[in-house]
Amino acid sequence: MTERTDKTRATRRRFLAGAAGVAAAGVTAARADNAKSLAKNLPPNVADWSKSLGEGVGVRAYGTPSKFEKDVQRRTVGWLTATPESSVSFTPLHQLDGIITPNGLCFERHHGGIAEVDPNDYRLMLHGMVDKPLVFTLEDLKRLPRVNRVYFLECAANSGMEWRGAQLNGAQYTHGMVHCVQYTGVPLKLLLEQAGVKPNAKWLMVEGGDAAGMNRSLPLAKALDDCLIAYRMNGEMLRPEQGYPVRLVVPGWEGNLWIKWLRRIKVGDQPWYTREETSKYTDLLEDGKARQFTFVMDAKSVITSPSPQMPVHGKGFMVISGLAWSGRGKVSRVDVSLDGGRNWRTAKIDGPVFDKSCVRFYYEHEWTGEQLLLQSRAMDDSGYVQPSKDALRKIRGVNSIYHNNGIQTWAVKSDGEVENVEVG
Amino acid sequence: MSRSAKLALGCALLLSLAAPAFAQAKKETARQYGVGHAATPAQIAGWDIDVRADGQGLPPGKGSVKDGEKVYMDKCAACHGEFGESAGRWPQLAQGKGTLASHDPVKTVGSYYAHVSTVFDYVRRAMPFGDSQSLSNDELYAVVAYVLNLNDIVDDKFVLSKETWTKVKMPNEGGFFDDDREKTEKAFWNKNPCMKDCRGPVTITGRAGSLDVTPEDEKSKRRGVE
């Protein structure tokens, strides 16, 4: 998906040279935000909504956000892909807080569009090296014992456009291929036990029922450890974009393995080497050799506010807020730097800290209008420390597309505008 | 409990500890819920489309490069280009050999794929884009043979089938190795990362603003830090 970035970049650069003036005009207009209040709604006047009745119950049978929040949306980057059916939309991380991503804002990555599966016709087939090949209906799955777990899901290509330098101006675009929700589902181990796995089995092939028939090889040990056959997210049934009615949950591992619209699990004794684990989702290093089966998502963090889409309006007290996660365990600490990584202070983590989940961190700052080079650095309970982008590049070069968990830098300028920058 | 009974129990415990974890779980604790239905051979046959690197799962049938050219021109070339060079922004399927270590690696079936099964399994499930799982087995063998031929991996006379499968040698077969991050990136594990004066003066070396490839969104009002 991101291979073309460089070529496209050159053409876009040329194209946009002429458009710079237009973009700058847009920024000025948006900055006037605070002046938009209507005096008739402000004290000492009494606002309209305090005087007349609002809509009654039932009008909003399935509630949606306030009409004033319409700009909180998943967004796409048109030039990234050839077609929207095999493409990506990004979570608006900069507009969210806490650790849970609302269902309708979880980023999307499809390879054959959104399959609309009729739950009555949903079937999950489990076969291969098992004693009893089985087919489950959705009702079958819902009868089985289930668990609730909060996990982050990050696409291995998240931040993949940034290997060669700062490119996209916004946490939504640089880091928005991650979300974090509570799943309800059946442990995969329990399902495998129903079929009876043969003793020499080692790998599973997991496959989606969409038009891409997305398939990956999954080590049996991981399946038995913590994978879930999930049908709910944040309490309600999965959204179609997230694999309704059933998706695989592979905690801490790259999102591509979390097969949506899961239709088949085949048990075997070796990996399949599918397209998604060879042509894609392998990490090409400088010498032309590529790492394969790089499943785990290393510790990573990003400051979501301020960030390019979330500028600072005026001097004074502010809370620097961000998100951190690790596929190796719990986030144990997050440090923040205001000077591009010279000095670090430990941020406060607030809210629940779960295994292989997002955590929210805050750092308080009295801003006097000085230039800031904001960075955050996550650590996890395995002792892993999120590396700088240059440290990553030293080992991996710039061709690997996937698994870019390097430290992000935002430059806050004296006028409060924020830009995605590289520091050296 | 008698001495011998105790002994026997001890042995059983030892045995179960020595058995693989899964076998143990299966025998001792796995509860059967009686939920789910036996999958019939016919049901399985209809969905069982995966093909493994060792050829497991290959269907009967065969296809020549020559027949594949026709399938390809009809059903693939519009997106992937007559020579696999890509028509526009769709994935490129051919060329790119020798570029993997360069600044602009071009990953194709010829330059990057390590297994012929990968092409077969993928085309069988996902191509043509928008009309997946529509090719017959013979068409599949043929079009895969043709894509290999476009990459100079097989000659014009080649016929791909279960029998000729192992004759195909992929150029980048040895190009991959398993995840070694815990070894090669060991330095990233550090209980006490530097907190003060960790580096020299910091300069900005690149800016996203100077590229400006970020989608402009006029409708979205930008809000201040919360």
Side-chain angles (χ1 to χ4, degrees):
Chain A
M1 171 198 90
T2 43
E3 286 91 322
R4 288 176 186 281
T5 308
D6 255 30
K7 280 173 235 156
T8 326
R9 194 148 102 178
T11 30
R12 286 279 302 178
R13 198 183 295 148
R14 248 173 277 132
F15 168 73
L16 277 153
V22 183
V27 169
T28 329
R31 297 225 65 203
D33 258 14
N34 293 342
K36 280 188 189 146
S37 311
L38 289 176
K40 72 180 177 89
N41 290 328
L42 306 177
N45 301 318
V46 178
D48 286 348
W49 52 81
S50 307
K51 293 184 274 196
S52 59
L53 300 176
E55 270 175 7
V57 299
V59 177
R60 307 181 187 198
Y62 191 108
T64 51
S66 158
K67 63 182 178 190
F68 301 109
E69 298 293 325
K70 283 214 161 54
D71 60 313
V72 183
Q73 286 184 9
R74 294 189 283 229
R75 296 188 188 282
T76 56
V77 177
W79 52 263
L80 266 182
T81 51
T83 167
E85 290 84 17
S86 175
S87 194
V88 56
S89 70
F90 299 87
T91 308
L93 294 180
H94 59 295
Q95 289 163 312
L96 302 174
D97 211 326
I99 65 167
I100 298 293
T101 317
N103 288 342
L105 295 177
C106 291
F107 82 92
E108 305 165 276
R109 174 73 175 108
H110 318 309
H111 292 261
I114 300 166
E116 290 280 3
V117 179
D118 183 329
N120 296 305
D121 299 341
Y122 174 78
R123 294 293 183 275
L124 173 61
M125 186 180 283
L126 172 49
H127 71 119
M129 293 174 65
V130 296
D131 300 331
K132 288 173 293 177
L134 291 172
V135 172
F136 297 92
T137 64
L138 184 59
E139 271 195 29
D140 290 336
L141 295 176
K142 285 181 167 179
R143 285 188 77 129
L144 290 167
R146 52 198 172 267
V147 297
N148 298 297
R149 298 281 185 277
V150 177
Y151 291 122
F152 79 85
L153 184 172
E154 184 185 18
C155 176
N158 199 20
S159 316
M161 289 87 84
E162 305 286 309
W163 273 109
R164 296 183 180 203
Q167 180 163 239
L168 288 165
N169 233 350
Q172 179 165 22
Y173 303 111
T174 55
H175 289 75
M177 281 200 268
V178 66
H179 59 65
C180 189
V181 308
Q182 177 179 262
Y183 295 96
T184 305
V186 183
L188 177 49
K189 178 170 191 264
L190 188 151
L191 276 201
L192 291 169
E193 286 168 351
Q194 304 310 299
V197 173
K198 303 259 198 231
N200 44 341
K202 284 197 192 70
W203 289 79
L204 310 181
M205 197 269 329
V206 288
E207 176 186 88
D210 57 332
M214 173 65 58
N215 65 331
R216 288 286 306 248
S217 306
L218 179 73
L220 179 63
K222 178 68 174 174
L224 296 175
D225 179 19
D226 57 3
C227 291
L228 302 179
I229 304 292
Y231 48 87
R232 292 182 183 277
M233 56 195 290
N234 294 332
E236 64 179 2
M237 286 300 288
L238 294 176
R239 291 291 169 88
E241 315 92 276
Q242 304 301 333
Y244 178 88
V246 175
R247 93 172 308 163
L248 186 64
V249 168
V250 190
W253 287 19
E254 59 188 21
N256 185 255
L257 284 152
W258 299 48
I259 302 295
K260 301 189 281 192
W261 313 288
L262 184 69
R263 79 162 196 167
R264 193 162 69 99
I265 299 172
K266 188 177 191 174
V267 182
D269 57 2
Q270 51 178 274
W272 271 253
Y273 297 100
T274 74
R275 182 249 189 176
E276 304 294 331
E277 60 207 20
T278 52
S279 169
K280 306 289 161 187
Y281 303 98
T282 47
D283 315 337
L284 185 60
L285 304 186
E286 251 178 342
D287 64 355
K289 299 271 186 248
R291 286 181 181 151
Q292 64 183 0
F293 301 128
T294 45
F295 298 127
V296 179
M297 300 308 295
D298 282 318
K300 185 165 172 177
S301 65
V302 64
I303 290 171
T304 52
S305 172
S307 60
Q309 297 156 290
M310 198 55 88
V312 190
H313 287 173
K315 294 170 192 169
F317 178 80
M318 68 172 179
V319 178
I320 296 165
S321 167
L323 210 54
W325 59 93
S326 170
R328 296 189 190 272
K330 282 185 177 144
V331 173
S332 55
R333 194 174 110 191
V334 182
D335 297 331
V336 166
S337 172
L338 308 180
D339 57 7
R342 265 193 112 166
N343 296 290
W344 296 88
R345 310 263 178 73
T346 297
K348 185 175 103 188
I349 291 177
D350 188 81
V353 178
F354 299 116
D355 195 37
K356 304 179 180 77
S357 154
C358 284
V359 304
R360 173 62 56 178
F361 66 88
Y362 298 121
Y363 185 80
E364 299 179 356
H365 181 62
E366 196 74 40
W367 190 51
T368 58
E370 78 278 15
Q371 167 169 292
L372 302 173
L373 290 173
L374 293 180
Q375 295 188 341
S376 62
R377 175 175 79 182
M379 280 175 253
D380 67 24
D381 58 8
S382 80
Y384 183 94
V385 184
Q386 182 182 2
S388 71
K389 287 187 179 173
D390 281 341
L392 270 186
R393 290 181 185 123
K394 221 181 242 168
I395 298 175
R396 303 191 198 166
V398 293
N399 287 340
S400 59
I401 299 172
Y402 306 104
H403 291 278
N404 183 352
N405 67 319
I407 290 174
Q408 173 67 45
T409 312
W410 304 129
V412 180
K413 300 167 208 175
S414 52
D415 62 357
E417 290 295 317
V418 184
E419 189 180 5
N420 174 10
V421 299
E422 281 281 334
V423 290
Chain B
M1 202 185 289
S2 77
R3 211 184 122 86
S4 58
K6 257 193 221 156
L7 243 172
L9 191 73
C11 286
L13 259 175
L14 263 178
L15 268 179
S16 66
L17 281 175
F22 186 71
Q24 182 193 345
K26 198 170 91 180
K27 288 204 181 70
E28 290 177 12
T29 62
R31 173 164 173 188
Q32 293 294 309
Y33 293 91
V35 171
H37 316 264
T40 66
Q43 283 177 322
I44 294 173
W47 279 14
D48 191 10
I49 56 170
D50 57 279
V51 175
R52 223 162 59 170
D54 62 353
Q56 190 202 73
L58 277 174
K62 63 175 192 308
S64 64
V65 169
K66 195 161 157 283
D67 292 342
E69 179 171 7
K70 191 174 173 335
V71 179
Y72 185 88
M73 290 307 164
D74 287 353
K75 301 189 169 174
C76 322
C79 294
H80 293 294
E82 252 179 72
F83 305 101
E85 79 284 12
S86 163
R89 303 173 55 204
W90 307 95
Q92 183 175 338
L93 299 186
Q95 292 131 24
K97 264 177 240 169
T99 64
L100 295 183
S102 76
H103 189 70
D104 192 13
V106 179
K107 297 180 193 166
T108 70
V109 169
S111 70
Y112 199 55
Y113 277 48
H115 307 278
V116 61
S117 65
T118 304
V119 196
F120 194 97
D121 176 84
Y122 182 69
V123 174
R124 192 184 197 193
R125 65 184 56 250
M127 291 294 134
F129 193 68
D131 193 18
S132 24
Q133 302 197 40
S134 64
L135 299 182
S136 71
N137 289 340
D138 286 350
E139 285 176 316
L140 248 171
Y141 276 111
V143 81
V144 170
Y146 186 69
V147 171
L148 295 173
N149 180 259
L150 280 178
N151 281 287
D152 302 321
I153 296 169
V154 300
D155 63 34
D156 297 350
K157 298 245 154 52
F158 190 72
V159 178
L160 186 63
S161 69
K162 239 180 175 163
E163 287 67 43
T164 60
W165 184 258
T166 50
K167 296 216 172 86
V168 183
K169 289 281 168 264
M170 300 300 277
N172 194 40
E173 203 182 318
F176 297 84
F177 62 97
D178 284 349
D179 187 2
D180 63 353
R181 281 176 289 174
E182 291 183 12
K183 244 189 272 148
T184 49
E185 298 181 1
K186 208 171 176 166
F188 297 159
W189 277 265
N190 176 5
K191 291 269 184 243
N192 288 305
C194 175
M195 297 297 283
K196 233 179 126 49
D197 296 326
C198 303
R199 49 168 302 162
V202 181
T203 51
I204 293 179
T205 54
R207 296 174 176 276
S210 54
L211 287 174
D212 205 356
V213 290
T214 311
E216 248 338 292
D217 185 56
E218 299 77 27
K219 278 170 292 171
S220 114
K221 56 177 164 55
R222 300 192 318 154
R223 292 193 269 191
V225 61
E226 284 174 352

